Amino acid sequence: MASRARVRAPELIGKGGWLNTGNKDLTLSDLRGRIVILDFWTFCCVNCLHVLDELRELEERHRDTVVIVGVHSPKFVHEAEHQAVVDAVERYGVEHPVLDDPELATWKQYAVRAWPTLVVIDPEGYVVAQHAGEGHAHAIEKLVEELEAEHGAKGTLRRGDGPYVPPEPVATDLRFPGKAVRLPAGTFLVSDTTRHQLVELAPDGEQVLRRIGGGERGLGPDAFSEPQGLALLPDGRVAVADTVNHALRVFDPESGSLETVAGTGKQWWQGSPTSGPAREVDLSSPWDLAWWQDRLWIAMAGVHQLWTYDPATETVEVAAGTTNEGLVDGPAAEAWFAQPSGLAAAGDRLWVADSETSALRWVERAESGDGHVVRTAVGTGLFDFGHRDGAAGQALLQHPLGVTALPDGSVAVADTYNHALRRFDPASDEVTTLATDLREPSAAVLVDGDIVVVESARHRLTRLRLPEEAVRVESVAHRTQRAATEVAPGALRLDVVFQAPAGQKLDTRYGPSTRLLVSATPPELLAEGSGPGSDLARDLVLADGVTEGVLHVSAMAASCDDDPEIEYPACHVHQQDWGVPVRVADGGVARLGLVLAGLDAE
């Protein structure tokens, strides 16, 4: 086993305290003798949710030697609320201890730069590896097996039950519902996300008429995995975004039948097909659906794109977005999204709730009639959010998940982390607030003159009369609380650290096995060094006169089994996007090291 740097793991500190431990505070000394995996996550982040799912099997297979500890490190102000973290832990089925760290104390101690980041601590309390982004479960499992063997032989491995204590279940008809659609009979079909079911409710929005799905995760004829978006199809059936199954399902309310129409059940990775027969193409966390222009449009939150499904040809294809995370308008193929999570068709526009940029955007036909373009109504980027009404150019939202077209041509926005229902009027270019004191609203449905809101964290549908006048809300603006990295003026060396897992090597059979894309907000921050390339190291030059901004770094590396005896080696893709706030200052660093996998030696 290769020697490793001996770095003592800092203590776990979080003002919010511990969850899933039976009210016991944990320390690293309590975990001595176990292999500890720290999962730095925040519940808004779809990549973090992917990692939660990646770790489930590892967690089960090594339950007697491994303790996973979620360190919840918030991006948005709402995510720093303790009850919101409690809700998220239940919502996403987190079955390990979680430290609520609202002030990012432990995040800073471990020098974390991105969500998600995994840190592995050996049984003697030393950090032995760090991994940012997705796709690392296989590498961590190999490392765990090595650590089990090494520390088993040394006598420093302690086996047994971990500190996880499940919370008491709560009885409600719905549990963190995601989206809803009104059926022709006047009933509501709701995605009951945490219970992996669909629920049909009576027209009053309360009485349960039937449940669809057995309530356990799966992709069978009677199973879902955290379903979200719903869309009524022209034939009366309902399309379902089966989010964690990375699939589209179609439910027939008349017969009760359920079929898979798109997706393989596997998550899409860079290099996978982006079009083709729908049942043969991987998808990535489809979050919402809308029927528009004779296609089913898909908010593909997991890869920051919009896709379409054509039932006539049974094919899927990318319709907008590059997979880069951010806010860039323009031709659909060049636009950037950030976890699009809500869709609403309204005539010649498809409205999009772009959650991570706290933005309301739309898609429309290009003036030339050739293709589509993407435009933004509200929102400026990944790090600005809040609750501010008025002119759309300065209005603020906070992680909206839903959007609903209103009869007068305006749109209602489920402004999820502001616990509000907002309205954007294209005619006046103004944003107002329709209702407050909603709890994490995630969608809304029009019913005559009323609007029925999915209050996800209150586990119910709430019927509201559309008000004649907007609610007055005191204006609040926020920026992410992540501290900016001070960098020296001029030349800046960017190093993305990647060490292939034990027994693997970089896969160069089909050309370069690594990819790096660098950009900045504002673009003027970088005088040199932006754009794509295959080297994970790059020399950047910061422009004179720009004192702060965000560096956007997207990295990918592919590795395969390094054994000539294996005819068909297993290969894995590791990828991560970083948004690094920087401030140019004399005395700042001249090198920025970002760890994709391994440990940064500098």
Side-chain angles (χ1 to χ4, degrees):
M1 188 172 182
S3 61
R4 305 185 185 91
R6 301 286 283 175
V7 179
R8 175 66 71 178
E11 191 52 82
L12 305 179
I13 303 168
K15 190 175 180 180
W18 288 87
L19 305 176
N20 285 353
T21 62
N23 297 318
K24 174 181 170 59
D25 290 344
L26 296 181
T27 66
L28 283 177
S29 63
D30 296 329
L31 304 175
R32 194 63 47 79
R34 310 298 291 271
I35 300 164
V36 178
I37 300 173
L38 303 182
D39 176 14
F40 289 88
W41 69 300
T42 188
F43 64 78
C44 72
C45 163
V46 71
N47 310 92
C48 299
L49 304 185
H50 291 166
V51 168
L52 282 175
D53 292 314
E54 287 180 5
L55 292 176
R56 291 186 199 280
E57 289 187 19
L58 182 149
E59 191 170 20
E60 183 59 37
R61 281 197 294 268
H62 299 272
R63 188 168 291 279
D64 66 333
T65 60
V66 171
V67 174
I68 296 177
V69 173
V71 182
H72 189 268
S73 313
K75 170 186 174 181
F76 290 98
V77 169
H78 169 59
E79 293 175 304
E81 298 176 14
H82 182 69
Q83 185 57 48
V85 181
V86 173
D87 289 344
V89 167
E90 179 187 353
R91 182 195 298 267
Y92 297 116
V94 180
E95 296 184 352
H96 50 248
V98 173
L99 175 65
D100 180 9
D101 183 18
E103 296 177 346
L104 303 181
T106 296
W107 166 288
K108 294 171 185 173
Q109 286 290 313
Y110 281 83
V112 175
R113 292 187 181 273
W115 300 276
T117 290
L118 299 171
V119 176
V120 182
I121 302 172
D122 73 13
E124 294 179 290
Y126 291 93
V127 174
V128 293
Q130 181 172 324
H131 302 264
E134 303 177 50
H136 300 292
H138 71 287
I140 291 177
E141 178 136 34
K142 284 183 175 295
L143 178 57
V144 164
E145 291 170 354
E146 291 181 354
L147 291 171
E148 286 175 339
E150 176 186 350
H151 289 273
K154 289 174 64 176
T156 51
L157 182 69
R158 177 167 58 89
R159 296 179 180 269
D161 294 333
Y164 169 66
V165 178
E168 290 293 324
V170 181
T172 54
D173 288 333
L174 301 174
R175 206 69 193 160
F176 298 104
K179 307 288 185 180
V181 67
R182 197 181 187 208
L183 299 178
T187 59
F188 294 95
L189 191 66
V190 183
S191 54
D192 198 18
T193 304
T194 298
R195 293 199 177 122
H196 316 296
Q197 293 179 320
L198 306 182
V199 177
E200 186 177 2
L201 300 178
D204 64 5
E206 297 182 8
Q207 181 187 354
V208 175
L209 301 179
R210 61 172 162 168
R211 295 182 180 275
I212 300 97
E216 299 293 331
R217 293 179 187 272
L219 191 54
D222 189 37
F224 299 95
S225 188
E226 297 182 24
Q228 285 283 349
L230 305 169
L232 196 62
L233 299 175
D235 62 6
R237 297 186 301 163
V238 178
V240 183
D242 197 358
T243 304
V244 176
N245 277 327
H246 310 295
L248 295 189
R249 321 291 292 282
V250 169
F251 169 66
D252 187 339
E254 293 296 323
S255 67
S257 67
L258 177 67
E259 64 173 315
T260 301
V261 298
T264 63
K266 297 179 181 178
Q267 183 183 338
W268 185 95
W269 287 98
Q270 292 286 351
S272 301
T274 56
S275 64
R279 290 294 307 274
E280 299 174 16
V281 177
D282 298 338
L283 308 181
S284 183
S285 296
W287 208 275
D288 202 11
L289 306 168
W291 183 261
W292 188 59
Q293 296 183 345
D294 300 320
R295 300 282 191 278
L296 186 68
W297 286 67
I298 309 162
M300 203 71 77
V303 285
H304 318 299
Q305 291 179 312
L306 304 182
W307 288 40
T308 59
Y309 166 68
D310 183 353
T313 59
E314 298 183 343
T315 58
V316 293
E317 64 179 350
V318 174
T322 65
T323 75
N324 296 320
E325 184 178 14
L327 194 156
V328 177
D329 289 343
E334 301 171 15
W336 292 21
F337 293 93
Q339 285 180 218
S341 301
L343 298 176
D348 59 358
R349 290 185 177 184
L350 177 70
W351 292 99
V352 183
D354 202 29
S355 63
E356 278 294 288
T357 53
S358 297
L360 173 64
R361 308 175 73 184
W362 81 87
V363 181
E364 63 185 4
R365 289 276 187 196
E367 291 183 4
S368 65
D370 183 19
H372 293 87
V373 294
V374 177
R375 307 192 192 281
T376 298
V378 183
T380 58
L382 288 165
F383 298 103
D384 294 291
F385 53 91
H387 193 144
R388 182 193 287 154
D389 290 329
Q394 57 84 55
L396 294 172
L397 309 170
Q398 186 180 179
H399 198 80
L401 291 179
V403 60
T404 306
L406 300 179
D408 64 358
S410 65
V411 290
V413 180
D415 193 4
T416 309
Y417 288 2
N418 280 327
H419 310 300
L421 190 68
R422 311 286 292 284
R423 176 178 178 263
F424 169 68
D425 184 357
S428 65
D429 202 35
E430 294 277 325
V431 175
T432 54
T433 297
L434 297 175
T436 59
D437 194 32
L438 301 168
R439 188 69 186 172
E440 292 192 16
S442 54
V445 182
L446 275 178
V447 180
D448 304 323
D450 296 344
I451 191 163
V452 175
V453 180
V454 180
E455 276 199 272
S456 188
R458 282 201 177 113
H459 321 292
R460 70 187 189 192
L461 303 188
T462 299
R463 192 174 186 124
L464 304 173
R465 175 71 60 180
L466 282 172
E468 296 289 336
E469 295 184 5
V471 178
R472 293 187 178 276
V473 175
E474 184 177 350
S475 178
V476 178
H478 301 288
R479 281 185 65 83
T480 177
Q481 62 176 316
R482 290 170 60 196
T485 298
E486 291 198 345
V487 294
L492 177 65
R493 175 71 172 183
L494 172 65
D495 287 322
V496 175
V497 177
F498 178 75
Q499 298 162 2
Q504 295 209 331
K505 65 178 180 179
L506 289 174
D507 178 19
T508 57
R509 293 171 300 164
Y510 307 108
S513 60
T514 57
R515 188 191 69 174
L516 182 66
L517 177 68
V518 180
S519 62
T521 303
E524 297 77 21
L525 176 65
L526 281 178
E528 296 179 23
S530 62
S534 59
D535 194 340
L536 291 182
R538 188 176 300 180
D539 291 315
L540 311 178
V541 177
L542 303 175
D544 293 335
V546 182
T547 59
E548 63 179 1
V550 178
L551 288 175
H552 302 282
V553 180
S554 178
M556 185 197 75
S559 61
C560 294
D561 289 336
D562 185 16
D563 185 343
E565 299 299 318
I566 299 176
E567 184 176 3
Y568 300 105
C571 298
H572 303 273
V573 176
H574 318 258
Q575 63 184 47
Q576 172 62 9
D577 294 333
W578 291 267
V580 183
V582 296
R583 181 181 302 111
V584 180
D586 292 332
V589 298
R591 175 186 178 271
L592 180 62
L594 302 175
V595 177
L596 180 60
L599 291 173
D600 189 359
E602 295 189 36

